Every structure is written in C-alpha cells, then in structure tokens.
C-alpha cells in the first residue's frame, strides 16, 4: 500500500501511497502529499464539479473529521448511503479520517477523561468514546483513519502528559479491537513536548498492528526548535510507515513552509493543514515561486503590498484596477478566468465567489509546492531546496523576530 | 429614432403564450426565460426578509465557518436602521448568496444574468467597470447581461429615499450625505456598465398604495422615459427597455402602455408588481399589459420568480422574468421541486437517502442525498452553493420546458403541468382565464390562489406554498402517480 521510492540525504523521502477508492478504483498518491482539508467531506468552498479542475491525482486525497457529521447525520444513515465515497459521489478520491480538525472540532484537554476524548464542536463540547468513534468510522468507511488521541498542550504537567500517552495507547487498542472496516489504521502518537514520552508512545504504537502513525499534539504551544527532536523521536522507527502530521499554523506561511519542510526532513509523508482555509478566509492568495532551486537568490521581488513575498492580500486597494491574474501563467481555474481586480471587488462586497476562487488558486498553488518538494527529493536535492527556501526568506524572518521582540505584530503572524 | 440591437423572432405560439428567440449583442436567448441575479449582494427584495429570518441567518453565520460580529437587533431601532441592519446581515452572509462560478452558470443554462446597478455603482463603481472594459469583461461572463435602473433598490432599500421630478434623492449608505439619481445619470451609469439590456428609471410605488400617488408616478415614469432615451449614448450596443407603471388601475396602465409604445422601444417591462398585491390583481395587470404591448417586442415582468407565476405569466404572453427567490430560498435551506418546495432543514430529511428531486438531472441531484444536504444547509457555505445550483437548474429547466412546450403547441399541457401541479389547476385556471379574460371568475380558483401565501408544512418537511390547503388534503392528490411528497 505504501512504498518509498526515493530518499534524499537524511530522512526526507518520497513514495507512493496506493489506495482503493469507492467502486474499487485505484488511486496512487505521491508523497510527501497534502491532505486537502474539508468540511463534511467537501472542501469549504470548492463544489464537487469544480474539484476535477485541481491538479490530479495530487488533489485526490481528502481529510475529514467524522465529528463534523454529528451535526445532523447519524452513522445509520451514513451506512445506508454506503459510506462517505458513495455519499459524496467521489469515487476517485481517498478519504483520511482524523477525529479533530483544526477549525471547528478542536480537542479540549480539560474535558478529556479516562472514558473518552473531549472536543469543542459546533454542537457544543462532546466526549467521544472509542465505541462511538468506531461506529462513525465503520459507517463512513474511510481509506485511512487515525485513532482517538488525548492531545495536550506543551505546558501541561509531566503527570498529565504521561497520562495522555497511556490513554492514547489504550484507546488505540480499543479502536483496533472494535474496527470492522478495511481502512488503514493510523495509530495516534502524543506526548506533548517531552521527547521521552513521544518515544515511549511511538514504541507502544509500533508494537500494534498499524499501517501508519498520526502525530498529534503539535502546534499546541511547543516552539519550532523543540519540534525537530520531537518529530525525530517518533519518525526514527521503520521505513515503511506513513505519517500524518497536522500542522496548524494560522496565517503564517513562512513558519508553515518551514513546518512542512521540517516535517519532511524528519520523514513525514502526509500533511493535514488548515493553511489554505486560513489564507482563503483572510483574502490571501499564494504567489511564491516554488521552483526555488532554479531561481537566483539575488532576484528579489518588490515587496507586494498587503502581504509578503509569499502571499498577497487581495483586499488591498492596490488590486482595484489590476487586471492581471493572481499568478501569471498559473493554470488554475481562478487565474485562467478572473483578474485580481474582480476578486478584490468580490471580497469588498462579500461575495462567496471570492472564497471559491481563492480556495481553488491556493490549493492549486500549494499542491505545486509539494510537487516541487517531491521533485527535489527525487533529484536528491531536498536539503538544498530547504536551505534555499530559508535563505529567500531570511530577511523576513529577521524582521519578524525584531517585531516580536518589540512586541509588535509582524507580517508573518 | 431608435436603432435596435435586438432581434426578437417568435418561433411558436399557443394561445397567448409565445416562444421566441431573442438575439442580443452577447447571446442568442430562448424565451420564456428566467434571469438570475448575477452580481453583487442580492437586491432589495432579499433584504425585505422578515426579522426572524434575518436573525436566524445571523445566528447561522455566527455558527458557520465565517464568523461575523453579531449586532443585537433591538425593537426600538427605526425601520431604516432595521433595513440597513438586514442588509448588513445579507452582506455578512457573504455569499451564502449564490457562490456559483460563471462556468457553472453557463453549464446550468443561464442565458442572461442581472446586475444590480445600485450595488455596482457603489462598488466597484461604474467608472471602474468602464475603465476595465465593461461588466462582461470584468466578471468574465460571455453571455447576456441586464442591469436595472437602480431606482427600485434605492426606494426599497433606503426608506429615506425621496422622489421628485428631478430624480430619486437618497442618503448615501457610504457617508449619509443626500444624493440624487436622475434618469440621465441612471442611463449614464448603465452605459458605462455595458449590459445588453438596460432599464429606464421609473417612479416606483407599491401596488398596495392607492390614490393620486399612483397616477403621479405613472405620468412621471412617462416623462422620465424621454429623458432616458435622450441620455442613452449606446443605442447600437444596449437595448433600453421602458417600464409600464400604473399600479392596479387598468386605465393608468393603459395610458402608460400607449405612451411607451409610442416611443418604439426595443422592449417593455411590466413594473410595480410582486409587491404584496394578491394573485388575481397581479395576473390581471400582466394580462392587460401583454394584450396591448406590441407583438414583436419582448415583455419582461420585473421581480417575478415563483415557478407558478412564471408559468402563468408565460401563458399570458410574457417572455422574461427575474428574481432572487431561487438563490435566496436556497440560503434558508429550501429546494424547489416539481411538487412545491422541500425544506432541507427539516428533521425528516436527516435520514432521507433520496436525491432532492429524483427526476432532476442536475449535478446535485445526481450525486447527493437529502440527508447529506440536510447536514450542510444553513451551517456550511457548501449547503447554499449546492442548493442554489439545484434551484437555478430547476428554474432553467422550467423556462426551457415552457419554451419547447409552447413550440410543440402543448402549452399548458395537461400532462406536463399536471405533473408539476397535480390538481391540473394551472391549466384549468389559464384556460378559463384565456376564455373569459378578466375579471377572473370568482369562486374556486381565486379562492384557492388567495391561499398562496399560506404555507402548508408536512411532517416530512415538504411545504407547498402555491397550493391550497383543500387540494393537498385530497386523497387523489396524495395517491396519484406523482413522486411521493414525503
Ligand atoms: Zn492560480
Ligand atoms: Zn437537482
């Protein structure tokens, strides 16, 4: 189901994830890959008839939270519909179920107890037990699913952190025991910011019959520097495992680009990110060139107003009369059909079409970034790619850290 | 002398109903046709929502993916504030409006879309649209466009609007300063926007108003049409339509029709309707106007969009309609189906694994169950996107069916429309209507249509706004071959 095809120096690797969609059609996704985040199985704004306009097969793996469906669809109805593929009519797509999402179903560690994990959801705070969760999973029939986790922020006590590892491992056993579908199990790994706990959890999970790992509890207060050893602690075992890594970094591309690159450098294969959603809601469009290696370092672009060299804010008045596409030469539906001036207008009048177009472009662009990364890995140039990426943004990072020291808001946040 | 850039060929007739081909600068359209409101926040008509609906809307928005600040609605707020507030709420829903791309609109079969002049003039301004090459280019819409005069929206959106001989005076929603929209200015703005069809500025009064104001408005509309014709700078590229006013008074309507026909305009609109008058008054006005308007010019009934109204008005010889109803109602979770409407928010939909309309061939009905749409509507943006898609598809299918059944001489055919309206009442009403003209025979039909506003809700969540209580309770209807109402 998963094979590593190429390794760069270090742990970064590129591979192929083969999954069987609805009506037993085969989907091969090259990794490292981005899982497109969805609400109830569909992207926030891209309707199903527009999905095929996104790069294929890169866009054919979708992440969803089973908890979304608590808002009005019972597991029985879901089962009657024949599972998520059937229900959404998306047979050529793979679905990855993760209990939480980073937008509306957030883990709530204070409510979590030994019986189940607690989440803040649109239907209020809910305690989800393994039994309920597995009922949802078996009715939805995702291609892969992460087990229930007790995610805790970096600042909890050692005891609470230990506890979270014990619970997560116990829920893993319960989930596996209750599992009745063919979907691949991704064992959740937690452990907060403690390298020892992370390692202990990873070792426990690895003893079980899992197809991959889901790295939970990141983006909950640990620093960027802390993250590498934490990642390395859990990605050191086994070469044939796929790992979903939720990266939650609101509106900070440079940081997120680093996060993705940092994750890949540690051997992470799949990324679950709300970045596109956050950009889209903020009126931002990605513009950075992703053929980083080819570009001359001294080729510095003039700083775009209302954004940085990574993204632009289309709400800015400077785009009022700009009749060029978001990115010249971009082949996405938005750039092929509409101008910055039109999107600027749509944002001004609160037309949802703005979000539709931005989500299409941003998804397209971000998938391009992942393709460039895979290419770099295959050519054995991943480290170079990563260094270049950091180099191109050094002055920004510097400015950002100065702004942080002065207690001001920076362009990255 | 008017030069026309519009060709109107009648392809078929059935009694007074006509099917035609309307050749506009950007597209060749088939009538009867329905025009969705295509750009901008929805027009005034959708701002006239009930307070409860709007409040519900805001609550939904706050729970939804896009979080907007909630402003409390106090009873003490004046009508004006309330309207502005509702409008803000509408805009805040961002687009729970329609959220369809232009390629989807083409795919659905939309031929003309309507741009709101009032909104476009505020943002991004007509000057900018002109500078960027016109509205077609700005929004990348290759087919036909129609813009309204902007007057109606001011009058109904801004209660402070004041109409004088010069034009419509209103308070700018931007800075609160008094502003004046003259007929000349309305045409200039529309000339800059560049739609295929532009509308004359008229003096709008509610049909429920009576007395000398109606007469004043009608005569003013006639005086303004000359100023509009005079100001129109692009008659070779844009068709100026005049608007028939005169309230519910047949004499005033007649004077207005004659006055406009004398000006030999490319097309005529019947205005001032769908403002709360009862159905028989509404249909009577349409029947009277269509009877005296020239055969070879298109007739546009403004603000009409309920499926039943479109069928009846088409039978009476009207050709064009516009309404925000299909997309607005989608936002509140309502789907248009042949039997009436389906409330997707209703609990009964939660485990219904059938498509919204099993007979519908649209992308949504081909792929999604009522249960799935149920868990999306009013919560996720996608819910209104999918429902708007279906509802517009339904309206396009309806106008298409009307077009072909008139050509085939079947309109209003018992089979086709008995299926749509099980009582066969529509064809019967139209038949009687056409035979006797007006006044509409009193009794059964009028009585049943007076109940149009009455909503009948089934435990299954279906509601039938355009059928009478009596007809629904008939076992014959429930047990007929039509798709189950449940
Ligand atoms: Zn693009
Ligand atoms: Zn449909």
């Amino acid at each position: 189901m998963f094979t590593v095809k190429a390794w760069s120096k270090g742990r970064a690797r590129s591979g192929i994830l083969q999954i069987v969609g609805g009506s037993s059609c085969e989907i091969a996704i090259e990794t490292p890959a981005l899982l497109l985040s969805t609400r109830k199985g569909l992207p926030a704004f891209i309707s199903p008839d527009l999905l095929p306009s996104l790069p294929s097969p890169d866009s054919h793996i979708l992440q969803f939270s089973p908890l979304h469906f608590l808002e009005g669809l019972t597991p029985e109805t879901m089962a009657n519909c024949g599972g998520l593929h059937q229900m959404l009519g998306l047979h050529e797509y793979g679905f990855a179920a993760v209990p939480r999402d980073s937008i509306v179903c957030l883990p709530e560690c204070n409510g979590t107890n030994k019986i189940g994990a607690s989440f803040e959801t649109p239907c209020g705070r809910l305690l989800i037990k393994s039994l309920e969760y597995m009922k949802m999973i078996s009715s939805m029939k995702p291609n892969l699913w992460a087990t229930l986790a007790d995610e805790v922020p970096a600042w909890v006590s050692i005891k609470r952190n230990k506890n979270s590892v014990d619970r997560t491992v116990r829920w893993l056993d319960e989930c596996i025991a209750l599992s009745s579908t063919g979907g691949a199990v991704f064992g959740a790994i937690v452990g907060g910011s403690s390298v020892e706990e992370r390692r202990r959890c990873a070792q426990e999970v690895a003893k079980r019959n899992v197809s991959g790992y889901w790295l939970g509890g990141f983006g909950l207060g640990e620093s960027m520097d802390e993250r590498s050893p934490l990642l390395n602690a859990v990605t050191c075992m086994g070469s044939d495992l796929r790992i979903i890594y939720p990266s939650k970094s609101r509106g900070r591309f440079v940081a997120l680009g680093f996060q993705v690159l940092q994750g890949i450098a540690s051997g992470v294969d799949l990324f679950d990110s709300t970045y596109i959603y956050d950009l889209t809601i903020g009126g931002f469009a990605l513009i950075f060139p992703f053929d980083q290696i080819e570009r001359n370092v001294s080729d510095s672009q003039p700083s775009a107003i209302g954004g940085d060299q990574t993204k632009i804010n289309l709400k800015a008045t400077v785009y009022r009369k700009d009749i060029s596409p978001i990115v010249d030469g971009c082949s996405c539906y938005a750039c092929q059909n509409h101008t910055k001036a039109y999107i600027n207008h749509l944002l001004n009048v609160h037309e949802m079409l703005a979000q539709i177009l931005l989500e299409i472009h941003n998804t397209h662009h971000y998938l391009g970034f992942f393709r460039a990364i895979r290419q770099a890995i295959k050519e054995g140039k991943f480290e170079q790619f990563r260094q270049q990426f950091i180099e191109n943004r050094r002055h920004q990072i510097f400015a950002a850290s100065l702004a942080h020291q002065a207690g001001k808001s920076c362009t990255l946040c | 002398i008017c030069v026309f850039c519009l060709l109107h060929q009648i392809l078929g007739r059935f009694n007074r109903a006509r099917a035609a081909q309307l050749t506009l600068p950007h597209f060749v359209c088939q009538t009867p046709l329905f025009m969705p409101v295509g750009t901008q926040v929805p027009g005034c008509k959708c701002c006239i929502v009930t307070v409860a609906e709007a409040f519900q809307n805001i609550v939904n928005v706050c729970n939804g993916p896009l979080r907007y600040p909630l402003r409390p609605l106090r009873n003490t707020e004046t009508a004006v504030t309330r309207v502005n507030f509702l409008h803000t709420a509408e805009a805040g829903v961002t687009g729970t409006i329609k959220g369809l791309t232009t390629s989807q609109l083409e795919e659905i079969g939309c031929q003309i879309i309507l741009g709101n002049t009032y909104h476009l003039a505020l943002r991004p301004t007509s000057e900018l649209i002109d500078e960027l090459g016109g509205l077609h280019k700005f929004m990348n819409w290759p087919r036909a466009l129609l813009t309204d005069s902007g007057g109606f929206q001011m009058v109904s959106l801004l209660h402070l609007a004041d109409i004088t001989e010069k034009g419509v005076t209103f308070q700018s929603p931007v800075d609160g300063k008094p502003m004046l929209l003259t007929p000349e200015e309305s045409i200039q703005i529309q000339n800059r926007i560049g739609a295929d069809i532009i509308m004359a500025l008229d003096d709008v009064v509610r049909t429920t108003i009576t007395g000398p104001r109606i007469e004043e408005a009608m005569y003013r509309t006639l005086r303004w049409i000359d100023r509009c014709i005079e100001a129109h700078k692009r008659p070779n590229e844009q068709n100026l339509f005049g608007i028939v006013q005169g309230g519910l008074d047949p004499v005033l309507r007649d004077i207005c029709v004659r006055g406009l026909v004398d000006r030999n305009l490319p097309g005529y609109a019947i205005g001032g309707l769908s403002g709360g008058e009862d159905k028989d008054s509404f249909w009577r006005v349409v029947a009277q106007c269509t009877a005296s308007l020239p055969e070879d010019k298109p007739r546009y009934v403004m603000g009409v969009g309920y499926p039943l109204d479109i069928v009846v008005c088409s039978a009476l010889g009207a050709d064009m309609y516009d309404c925000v109803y299909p997309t607005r109602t989608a936002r509140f979770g309502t789907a248009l189906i042949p039997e009436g409407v389906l409330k997707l928010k209703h609990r009964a939909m939660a485990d219904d694994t059938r498509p919204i309309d099993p007979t519908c061939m649209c992308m949504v009905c081909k792929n999604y169950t009522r249960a799935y749409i149920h868990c999306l509507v009013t919560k996720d943006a996608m819910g209104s996107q999918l429902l708007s898609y279906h509802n517009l598809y339904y309206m396009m299918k309806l106008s298409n069916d009307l077009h072909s059944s008139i050509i085939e001489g079947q309109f209003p055919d018992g089979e086709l429309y008995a299926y749509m309206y099980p009582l066969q009442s529509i064809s019967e009403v139209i038949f009687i209507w056409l035979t006797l003209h007006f006044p509409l025979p009193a009794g059964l039909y009028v009585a049943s249509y007076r109940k149009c506003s009455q909503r009948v809700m089934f435990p299954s969540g279906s509601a039938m706004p355009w059928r009478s209580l009596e007809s629904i309770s008939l076992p014959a209807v429930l047990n007929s071959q039509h798709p189950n109402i449940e």
Side-chain angles (χ1 to χ4, degrees):
Chain A
M1 198 176 128
F2 178 71
T3 36
V4 174
K5 295 280 183 202
W7 295 78
S8 205
K9 278 174 224 98
R11 290 180 181 162
R13 60 201 199 164
S14 135
I16 290 182
L17 172 66
Q18 258 159 333
I19 43 184
V20 180
S23 326
S24 58
C25 70
E26 297 238 333
I27 309 143
I29 304 283
E30 283 194 71
T31 65
L34 175 71
L35 303 173
L36 301 192
S37 64
T38 70
R39 305 267 267 145
K40 297 168 186 163
L42 289 176
F45 302 103
I46 307 175
S47 60
D49 55 324
L50 294 170
L51 269 179
S53 75
L54 293 173
S56 180
D58 310 32
S59 62
H60 283 234
I61 182 143
L62 308 171
Q63 176 269 340
F64 75 100
S65 162
L67 271 53
H68 287 168
F69 291 99
L70 292 173
E71 257 189 321
L73 205 63
T74 60
E76 289 73 28
T77 308
M78 180 68 88
N80 287 342
C81 291
L84 206 58
H85 288 94
Q86 200 69 36
M87 169 149 224
L88 296 167
L90 297 176
H91 300 293
E92 290 141 38
Y93 288 76
F95 283 98
V98 176
R100 63 173 263 187
D101 74 5
S102 303
I103 302 160
V104 292
C105 292
L106 300 164
E108 174 44 61
C109 78
N110 293 326
T112 297
N113 58 34
K114 61 181 185 213
I115 311 170
S118 173
F119 298 89
E120 273 317 336
T121 76
C123 332
R125 189 181 286 194
L126 296 173
L127 191 73
I128 306 292
K129 297 167 209 148
S130 309
L131 183 66
E132 275 171 89
Y133 181 63
M134 288 317 295
K135 235 189 191 165
M136 297 184 220
I137 293 294
S138 42
S139 70
M140 292 170 194
K141 304 191 178 75
N143 300 89
L144 30 116
W145 53 276
T147 58
L148 220 46
D150 180 10
E151 291 184 83
V152 293
W155 56 80
V156 296
S157 68
I158 297 169
K159 188 171 166 242
R160 176 72 182 84
N161 195 21
K162 248 186 165 51
N163 227 337
S164 82
V165 172
D166 295 339
R167 279 176 195 164
T168 303
V169 173
R170 198 173 62 245
W171 292 340
L172 169 67
D173 288 330
E174 288 174 11
C175 287
I176 292 175
L178 292 162
S179 161
S180 59
T181 47
V185 187
F186 275 54
I189 297 177
V190 294
S193 52
S194 153
V195 172
E196 295 75 52
E197 286 303 315
R198 286 269 174 192
R199 191 172 294 134
R200 179 167 78 91
C201 192
Q203 280 161 355
E204 284 301 318
V205 175
K207 283 180 202 162
R208 272 78 176 174
N209 182 23
V210 293
S211 312
Y213 300 104
W214 180 73
L215 308 188
F218 280 101
L220 296 172
E222 80 285 3
S223 72
M224 282 287 288
D225 298 336
E226 273 178 288
R227 205 170 285 166
S228 275
L230 294 173
L231 282 170
N232 288 336
V234 297
T235 55
C236 57
M237 62 289 156
S239 61
D240 58 344
L241 299 162
R242 302 155 300 287
I243 293 156
I244 301 177
Y245 172 48
S247 44
K248 176 178 161 58
S249 182
R250 290 200 166 257
R252 298 179 205 178
F253 176 73
V254 173
L256 188 74
F258 286 143
Q259 252 187 53
V260 166
L261 291 170
Q262 184 188 41
I264 291 171
S266 300
V268 175
D269 304 303
L270 294 172
F271 291 81
D272 155 14
S273 162
T274 61
Y275 184 51
I276 292 171
Y277 180 80
D278 293 333
L279 283 175
T280 301
I281 291 302
F284 287 96
L286 290 175
I287 53 151
F288 69 92
F290 31 68
D291 47 344
Q292 299 285 342
I293 293 172
E294 274 70 43
R295 283 181 69 88
N296 188 345
V297 188
S298 61
D299 176 17
S300 62
Q301 291 174 292
S303 176
I305 299 163
D308 49 48
Q309 290 179 4
T310 305
K311 59 182 187 290
I312 53 173
N313 189 340
L314 283 168
K315 282 180 187 159
T317 36
V318 59
Y319 301 114
R320 221 171 83 89
K321 295 182 180 181
D322 191 332
I323 51 165
S324 61
I326 300 167
V327 171
D328 278 310
C330 175
S331 60
C332 83
Y333 176 84
C335 292
Q336 290 291 309
N337 290 285
H338 295 290
T339 62
K340 292 196 198 88
Y342 187 54
I343 301 173
N344 170 265
H345 163 70
L346 293 173
L347 286 166
N348 279 334
V349 296
H350 308 282
E351 252 288 1
M352 185 165 47
L353 186 54
Q355 278 82 41
I356 298 175
L357 296 176
L358 283 177
E359 193 179 24
I360 290 176
H361 170 79
N362 287 331
T363 306
H364 194 96
H365 201 87
Y366 207 35
L367 289 172
F369 176 60
F370 275 82
R371 199 180 323 116
I373 293 172
R374 290 194 296 270
Q375 192 56 36
I377 295 173
K378 284 181 207 161
E379 289 167 7
K381 289 182 188 163
F382 176 73
E383 260 320 300
Q384 229 174 310
F385 182 97
R386 190 181 170 199
Q387 288 313 317
Q388 183 83 68
F389 189 88
I390 297 168
E391 188 62 41
N392 286 354
R393 281 152 190 83
R394 177 152 292 168
H395 65 280
Q396 261 177 277
I397 297 152
F398 181 66
S401 66
L402 281 183
H404 277 301
Q405 276 166 17
K408 280 182 275 182
S409 66
C410 75
T411 53
L412 304 181
C413 299
Chain B
I1 302 155
C2 279
V3 185
F4 301 136
C5 45
L6 165 152
L7 187 67
H8 188 248
Q9 288 172 290
I10 297 189
L11 305 176
R13 282 174 208 278
F14 190 82
N15 292 334
R16 288 174 62 175
R18 43 221 233 131
Q21 181 169 289
L22 186 62
T23 308
L24 292 169
H26 287 86
F27 199 67
V28 180
C29 314
Q30 310 286 315
T31 69
L33 68 79
F34 175 79
M35 305 180 285
V37 181
T39 56
Q40 285 284 353
V41 277
C44 55
K45 276 160 277 173
C46 46
C47 293
I48 309 169
V49 287
T50 64
V51 175
E53 249 184 327
F55 194 74
Q56 183 57 43
N57 207 351
I58 293 157
V59 172
N60 294 333
V61 169
C62 294
N63 293 333
L66 309 170
R67 283 157 209 267
Y68 288 90
L70 174 64
R71 242 193 69 197
L73 181 68
R74 277 173 282 120
N75 291 335
T76 49
E77 280 181 311
T78 63
V80 177
T81 341
R82 179 168 301 158
V83 168
N84 288 340
F85 163 69
L86 293 180
H87 195 195
T88 319
E90 288 290 334
V93 183
T94 48
T96 28
I97 302 160
K98 199 159 48 249
L100 295 179
T101 62
T102 46
S103 50
Q104 282 175 319
L105 290 170
E106 277 188 77
E107 197 180 279
I108 290 171
C110 297
Q111 313 184 71
I112 307 188
I113 51 183
L114 195 141
N116 290 132
T117 295
Y118 169 77
H119 292 298
L120 290 169
L122 285 179
R123 279 178 309 193
T125 73
S126 62
E127 287 82 3
L128 183 78
I129 293 176
D130 190 22
E131 198 184 324
L132 301 185
L135 187 57
H136 282 94
K137 200 173 164 203
F138 183 60
M139 62 182 292
N140 191 25
W141 172 248
R143 299 187 178 179
L145 281 170
L146 181 148
T147 47
D148 63 352
S149 65
F152 183 57
Q153 242 129 29
M154 285 173 194
V155 175
S156 49
L157 262 184
L158 311 163
H159 283 197
L160 293 177
D162 185 28
I163 301 173
T164 59
E165 195 54 34
K166 274 169 111 179
V168 184
T169 314
F170 63 101
Q171 246 192 347
S172 159
V174 181
D175 51 15
K177 281 187 193 141
M179 292 177 72
L180 176 71
L181 180 81
T182 61
E184 291 80 9
E185 209 185 350
S186 167
I187 297 299
Q188 270 166 28
I189 294 171
Q190 295 186 74
N191 278 168
R192 285 192 287 259
I193 294 173
D196 300 72
I197 297 173
I198 62 174
M199 303 304 298
L201 184 69
D202 55 345
D203 185 354
V204 194
V205 278
R206 286 183 180 278
T207 43
T208 43
I209 290 176
T210 49
R213 176 72 186 94
I214 300 280
E215 192 173 344
E216 182 197 40
M218 189 278 290
Y219 281 114
R220 184 170 286 149
T221 299
L222 277 182
R223 287 191 299 273
W224 282 0
I225 188 71
D226 291 323
R227 291 168 60 185
C228 290
I229 295 170
E230 183 66 30
H232 187 18
K233 292 286 175 292
R234 300 174 65 185
N236 293 320
E237 301 137 279
Q238 295 183 287
N239 299 288
L240 173 66
F241 278 33
I243 304 170
V244 180
Q245 289 292 350
L248 302 178
D249 186 332
V251 179
L252 295 181
R253 286 276 175 185
D254 194 52
I255 296 169
C256 200
V257 168
R258 282 163 201 270
L260 290 175
V261 172
D262 283 347
R263 269 86 173 174
N264 192 21
L265 293 159
Y268 301 93
I270 302 165
L273 294 173
S274 73
E277 70 283 350
D278 54 47
K279 291 281 179 194
D280 45 329
S281 314
F282 163 42
W283 292 344
R284 184 183 295 122
V285 170
V286 174
Q288 186 204 344
C289 293
T290 52
S292 46
L293 282 167
E295 268 295 304
D296 59 342
K297 301 285 175 67
R299 302 144 177 184
Y300 161 29
V301 187
M302 299 177 84
V304 162
Y306 290 112
L308 172 71
D309 291 338
I310 290 182
V311 175
V312 173
C313 291
S314 298
L316 297 174
D319 309 299
M320 301 161 71
Y321 314 93
D322 80 286
C323 194
V324 288
Y325 173 69
T327 46
R328 205 205 88 162
T329 204
R331 203 160 62 242
F332 298 109
T334 304
L336 305 177
I337 56 168
E339 299 89 341
V341 296
L342 197 65
K343 303 267 181 187
L344 270 307
K345 252 170 88 175
H346 199 279
R347 219 179 297 113
M349 297 293 138
D351 48 15
D352 194 331
T353 55
R354 286 172 299 174
I356 295 171
D357 169 12
T359 63
C360 178
M361 298 301 288
C362 87
M363 173 270 289
V364 182
C365 293
K366 274 195 281 190
N367 289 301
Y368 298 102
T369 57
R370 293 174 182 183
Y372 183 64
I373 309 282
H374 167 81
C375 85
L376 289 180
V377 287
T378 68
K379 297 185 189 96
D380 297 293
M382 192 55 71
S384 61
Q385 284 187 48
L386 295 179
L387 271 188
S388 293
Y389 189 105
H390 164 83
N391 283 356
L392 280 186
Y393 188 94
Y394 178 85
M395 296 308 288
M396 294 307 138
K397 171 98 172 33
L398 177 67
S399 9
N400 233 336
D401 285 353
L402 285 173
H403 179 84
S404 43
S405 52
I406 293 168
I407 288 185
E408 288 155 22
Q410 297 176 339
F411 182 86
D413 182 75
E415 268 177 58
L416 178 63
Y417 289 98
Y419 158 67
M420 300 194 59
Y421 306 104
L423 248 194
Q424 291 168 10
S425 50
I426 298 308
S427 41
E428 285 172 35
V429 167
I430 291 168
F431 175 75
I432 295 169
W433 182 282
L434 294 176
T435 330
L436 303 176
H437 292 280
F438 37 89
L440 188 74
L444 178 70
Y445 301 109
V446 179
S448 77
Y449 285 105
R450 283 229 172 94
K451 294 204 170 95
C452 281
S453 56
Q454 229 162 2
R455 295 205 166 206
V456 185
M457 179 74 83
F458 278 88
S460 65
S462 326
M464 252 121 293
W466 54 73
R467 268 198 261 150
S468 66
L469 268 171
E470 297 91 334
S471 66
I472 282 157
S473 57
L474 285 175
V477 174
L478 292 173
N479 300 329
S480 62
Q481 292 170 5
H482 318 301
N484 283 340
I485 287 164
E486 284 190 271

